[in-house]
Amino acid sequence: MNSEEFKAFYDRYYDVSVKVASAIVQSRFTAEDVTQEVFMYFYGIRERLDVSCEARLHALVVWKTTNKGRDYLRKSYVKREVMYDNDVAELQYRTTESAEAALLGMEKRQYLSMAFENLHRKNPVNFMIFMRVVMEGASTEEVAREFGYTRNNVNNRVLRARNWLLEELERLEKE
């Protein structure tokens, strides 16, 4: 796909992507950021895009925008959750008899956060599958359809991610 064809693709599907992203993130400005990331992805794979089927292109734009929007929400949720955890830890520190116990609790949360970040860096697919199944409560069948895997493969990836996280937590606590 040359730059003129990509420009036509961009012009045709920009509004579609913004509408899908707006429905997910509930903000026009954020939706435009999500859409920009989507089209940056498509620009990177423009040579492999099949422009012969309009319905397939539309579905691909909707699918990629949906996933990027969910990723954005997930990242925002984690940031809010971390802020909330710090507030709770501070409250626990004030109400706990032992400051040492409160500090240990804060340290454990920090190790857990680091373990998740390391899993995301090491194996992003297992991380995303683990988050969808365990943290968001999505069914393994739904996640298998999203990622194009079998249900057993999704279950195995969740199990591997869980075991890896446990090993990583042990390693971090020893350091």
Side-chain angles (χ1 to χ4, degrees):
M1 174 185 295
N2 63 30
S3 53
E4 289 177 10
E5 291 173 328
F6 187 81
K7 174 82 169 110
F9 167 72
Y10 177 84
D11 291 340
R12 190 172 334 132
Y13 292 107
Y14 178 83
D15 289 333
V16 171
S17 182
V18 170
K19 286 179 185 175
V20 171
S22 290
I24 294 169
V25 298
Q26 302 295 314
S27 164
R28 172 73 182 196
F29 296 115
T30 305
E32 289 174 353
D33 290 344
V34 169
T35 297
Q36 181 179 0
E37 287 185 37
V38 167
F39 281 101
M40 285 174 46
Y41 167 79
F42 285 132
Y43 187 78
I45 65 163
R46 67 187 178 281
E47 299 302 323
R48 296 180 288 155
L49 275 177
D50 179 15
V51 294
S52 63
C53 180
E54 191 78 23
R56 188 176 298 150
L57 278 177
H58 186 273
L60 187 61
V61 169
V62 170
W63 174 77
K64 190 65 179 174
T65 303
T66 302
N67 286 341
K68 283 286 183 190
R70 287 178 180 166
D71 288 346
Y72 176 82
L73 289 178
R74 197 172 300 130
K75 288 176 187 174
S76 296
Y77 172 75
V78 170
K79 288 177 187 172
R80 284 193 300 272
E81 182 179 46
V82 169
M83 288 174 21
Y84 175 74
D85 282 348
N86 288 339
D87 294 342
V88 169
E90 200 173 308
L91 180 63
Q92 286 175 344
Y93 175 73
R94 286 189 220 131
T95 59
T96 305
E97 289 181 21
S98 168
E100 184 178 339
L103 289 173
L104 286 174
M106 288 170 41
E107 190 174 270
K108 284 184 180 182
R109 279 189 291 282
Q110 184 179 15
Y111 287 152
L112 187 59
S113 177
M114 288 169 55
F116 274 106
E117 288 174 17
N118 291 343
L119 175 62
H120 187 263
R121 254 192 313 274
K122 182 176 175 9
N123 195 330
V125 174
N126 282 4
F127 172 80
M128 289 188 293
I129 289 174
F130 183 84
M131 295 303 282
R132 290 280 294 130
V133 172
V134 176
M135 304 304 274
E136 295 176 12
S139 70
T140 53
E141 292 83 9
E142 178 185 346
V143 174
R145 276 193 308 273
E146 280 180 30
F147 286 86
Y149 295 134
T150 64
R151 192 174 56 102
N152 286 339
N153 191 303
V154 168
N155 286 331
N156 286 337
R157 286 176 178 271
V158 168
L159 181 63
R160 286 183 192 138
R162 180 176 287 137
N163 290 339
W164 190 91
L165 284 168
L166 290 173
E167 290 172 7
E168 185 70 2
L169 282 172
E170 287 178 20
R171 186 189 68 78
L172 289 170
E173 287 178 358
K174 287 179 184 177
E175 289 180 354

